[in-house]
Amino acid sequence: MLLTTSRTSISYLARRTDGAISAALLQRVTCSSKYAQVRGHADQSKSTERRVVCTGLGLVTPLGCEIEEVWRRLTEGECGVSAIESKEFSDLPSRIAAFVPTGTEPGQFDETKVASKGERRNILKAALFALDCADRALNDSSWKPVTEEDYERTGIAVGTGMTGLDEIASTGHAFYTQGYKKISPYFIPKILTNMPTGHISIRYGFKGPNHSVSTACTTGAHSIGDAFNMIRRGYADVMLCGGTEASISPLACAGFARARALSTSFNDDPQRASRPFDKDRDGFVIGEGAAVLILEEMDHAIKRNAKLYAEVLGYGMSGDAYHITAPSESGRGAYLSMKTALKDAGLRPDEVQYINAHATSTPLGDAVENKAIKDVFLSHSKKLQVSSTKGAVGHLLGAAGAVEAAFTVLSVFKEIAPPTLNLYNVSCDKEFSLNYVPIKAQEYCATKGKRKIALTNSFGFGGTNASLCFGSIV
């Protein structure tokens, strides 16, 4: 059924707000339902879009893997960046990274619980991260399909920005030095970027949309936005979506270093290296991890009494059409992405309270995003809270947009803006005049009773951009 919001939703929302549904919202609900009823079932493919909510989160990050512990560490200003001890990195100009903590303790990533020894030989680390996140998200959401229709209406959209460079390099070396028979029959499926989605689908039997995105550092946000569209347009009722990345290798770091993208000034003080918006920023810190969000059609979630973290309100995309690695100094691409997300959500700029910025700690990237934010929000930009959580977890590449979307959902749910770490000296450029939530978390500045609304941005090589808009449940 493709009605936007049913009587079930209205009843639930009334309970959630003690009956205090705004007149505007009630009018929107009533009109949407009437509109869908008038059009009937003859044209369901074009019927009114359905509402989508987030009902579960799964995280594997440099701050750990348990939701509440990760959130606590994030908002208390802890940092997951450390020195790289391996000798393979010793000759590189950047020798710091944000690793996922591994082991058997609570909050650590334990690959032995994710897959058997035999399976792990043929699954890249990024796919193992995704499988772990999927399991955590499903448990958090309590989504347990029962009927065949449940399985057919549950889909997956999980992407990765880079494939296993070390796997490719070592296999290539084996082929050229030892010959054809040294190539594993699993080599090709192992390195395909859609395998995180494939492994999740196979493990859980989900037969709905099976989708994978690989758009550099915008991957996670695009995956979530595409999943959002699939649900609201009726292709699925539930989607597992997000991004995963495990690319901390000598070859990858050498490549980024040659592109002058990595921080090199803080090798002796790793936790100070990722410093978005700070005048001493000199590049990003490479990180690893994953996040999977459970998105669900609102009526579907309400009927099973699911926990509702936030509503997905809008999704925007754009292209810079400028350069393969550098953003346009005009900020036009980022501007269009945010404007499109707001338009898709039906929101005015002055209704947004918080932005989780893409800001990676690069001199040009942070400045361009800052300009775009000011161009979109104009005078309201002075009332915004803008932070970059990359100060705490580094830049997770293809997983960045997904992890930051999860942080944004939690920010809306808990009404707290996480801090920008290491922001002791805001850039000397006079254009850096916003509230970047330096060092310490802040409660949302929104007035009491006002809906909490946040944006999160992701931008990638090739000039690809995405913005997602989330709102508190009303």
Side-chain angles (χ1 to χ4, degrees):
M1 197 172 192
L2 299 181
L3 297 182
T4 300
T5 309
S6 70
R7 294 179 182 274
T8 307
S9 300
I10 298 174
S11 174
Y12 177 85
L13 296 174
R15 295 198 306 272
R16 292 278 295 190
T17 58
D18 297 324
I21 302 178
S22 70
L25 176 62
L26 185 56
Q27 183 179 21
R28 170 187 167 191
V29 169
T30 304
C31 290
S32 297
S33 297
K34 287 181 178 178
Y35 182 64
Q37 290 168 13
V38 168
R39 299 186 70 164
H41 297 285
D43 192 20
Q44 283 191 346
S45 65
K46 297 182 180 179
S47 62
T48 307
E49 292 173 342
R50 308 187 300 170
R51 295 175 70 181
V52 180
V53 292
C54 177
T55 61
L57 300 171
L59 291 170
V60 171
T61 79
L63 293 177
C65 305
E66 299 290 345
I67 295 173
E68 290 302 325
E69 180 64 8
V70 170
W71 181 252
R72 181 195 66 76
R73 296 189 66 192
L74 179 70
T75 53
E76 291 183 4
E78 296 188 34
C79 181
V81 179
S82 62
I84 301 175
E85 301 297 339
S86 173
K87 293 181 179 180
E88 296 176 299
F89 294 80
S90 60
D91 292 333
L92 300 182
S94 179
R95 297 183 297 280
I96 52 178
F99 293 96
V100 169
T102 59
T104 59
E105 298 297 320
Q108 294 180 331
F109 174 73
D110 183 357
E111 66 176 26
T112 65
K113 293 183 178 179
V114 180
S116 68
K117 185 176 181 179
E119 290 173 324
R120 296 199 302 274
R121 283 198 296 267
N122 302 311
I123 301 177
L124 289 180
K125 189 178 181 181
L128 293 174
F129 283 168
L131 280 167
D132 192 30
C133 279
D135 187 65
R136 292 175 185 276
L138 288 166
N139 287 333
D140 186 44
S141 178
S142 298
W143 173 231
K144 298 176 181 178
V146 176
T147 68
E148 184 61 20
E149 183 180 13
D150 288 341
Y151 285 97
E152 292 175 356
R153 299 287 295 170
T154 301
I156 308 159
V158 176
T160 186
M162 295 171 59
T163 191
L165 295 184
D166 282 356
E167 185 71 22
I168 294 172
S170 62
T171 301
H173 178 74
F175 175 70
Y176 288 114
T177 58
Q178 301 179 62
Y180 164 77
K181 291 187 177 181
K182 287 296 181 180
I183 306 304
S184 166
Y186 293 97
F187 170 60
I188 295 300
K190 190 173 182 180
I191 64 171
L192 294 177
T193 57
N194 73 314
M195 276 302 139
T197 287
H199 284 300
I200 295 170
S201 174
I202 292 165
R203 172 161 296 186
Y204 295 100
F206 299 147
K207 300 182 178 70
N210 191 288
H211 181 55
S212 180
V213 176
S214 185
T215 48
C217 302
T218 320
T219 295
H222 277 149
S223 298
I224 294 166
D226 291 352
F228 166 52
N229 279 334
M230 289 177 193
I231 294 174
R232 65 174 172 172
R233 292 172 184 169
Y235 298 122
D237 294 324
V238 180
M239 290 291 297
L240 286 75
C241 54
T244 184
E245 198 76 73
S247 297
I248 305 175
S249 71
L251 183 57
C253 289
F256 281 121
R258 288 290 288 169
R260 298 184 179 180
L262 299 181
S263 173
T264 59
S265 301
F266 298 90
N267 288 327
D268 296 329
D269 196 357
Q271 296 202 342
R272 292 181 58 221
S274 186
R275 44 197 321 113
F277 302 117
D278 191 85
K279 71 178 182 64
D280 295 323
R281 66 191 188 279
D282 73 329
F284 73 79
V285 174
I286 191 170
E288 63 179 7
V292 168
L293 282 65
I294 305 290
L295 300 190
E296 193 167 345
E297 191 273 325
M298 180 177 269
D299 282 355
H300 188 276
I302 289 169
K303 287 175 182 177
R304 68 181 190 87
N305 199 31
K307 172 174 54 181
L308 307 184
Y309 279 107
E311 182 174 2
V312 191
L313 300 176
Y315 173 38
M317 296 182 287
S318 72
D320 286 348
Y322 178 72
H323 190 272
I324 59 171
T325 58
S328 168
E329 292 185 18
S330 71
R332 187 66 179 174
Y335 170 91
L336 290 172
S337 182
M338 287 184 278
K339 287 287 285 188
T340 304
L342 290 173
K343 182 179 180 181
D344 189 42
L347 294 169
R348 302 185 311 273
D350 64 6
E351 294 179 272
V352 176
Q353 290 94 44
Y354 170 64
I355 298 177
N356 186 301
H358 178 70
T360 62
S361 187
T362 60
L364 180 58
D366 292 12
V368 167
E369 185 174 12
N370 180 72
K371 182 182 187 304
I373 289 171
K374 296 179 79 169
D375 288 347
V376 170
F377 292 92
L378 301 175
S379 61
H380 180 64
S381 63
K382 295 180 181 179
K383 297 180 181 179
L384 288 171
Q385 292 162 293
V386 180
S387 71
S388 172
T389 47
K390 289 184 175 73
V393 297
H395 187 6
L396 276 59
L397 308 178
V403 170
E404 288 157 22
F407 288 164
T408 307
V409 165
L410 289 168
S411 173
V412 166
F413 185 66
K414 296 177 179 289
E415 301 183 18
I416 294 174
T420 303
L421 296 195
N422 299 313
L423 182 50
Y424 293 100
N425 299 293
V426 175
S427 177
C428 56
D429 188 328
K430 64 180 180 181
E431 291 301 314
F432 285 83
S433 57
L434 306 181
N435 173 9
Y436 304 105
V437 196
I439 313 302
K440 293 184 179 181
Q442 299 174 4
E443 292 185 0
Y444 267 32
C445 294
T447 57
K448 186 177 181 180
K450 187 175 181 181
R451 189 176 197 187
K452 311 305 181 292
I453 295 172
L455 279 177
T456 181
N457 292 328
S458 288
F459 313 133
F461 281 1
T464 181
N465 311 302
S467 299
L468 293 163
C469 183
F470 298 97
S472 55
I473 303 297
V474 297

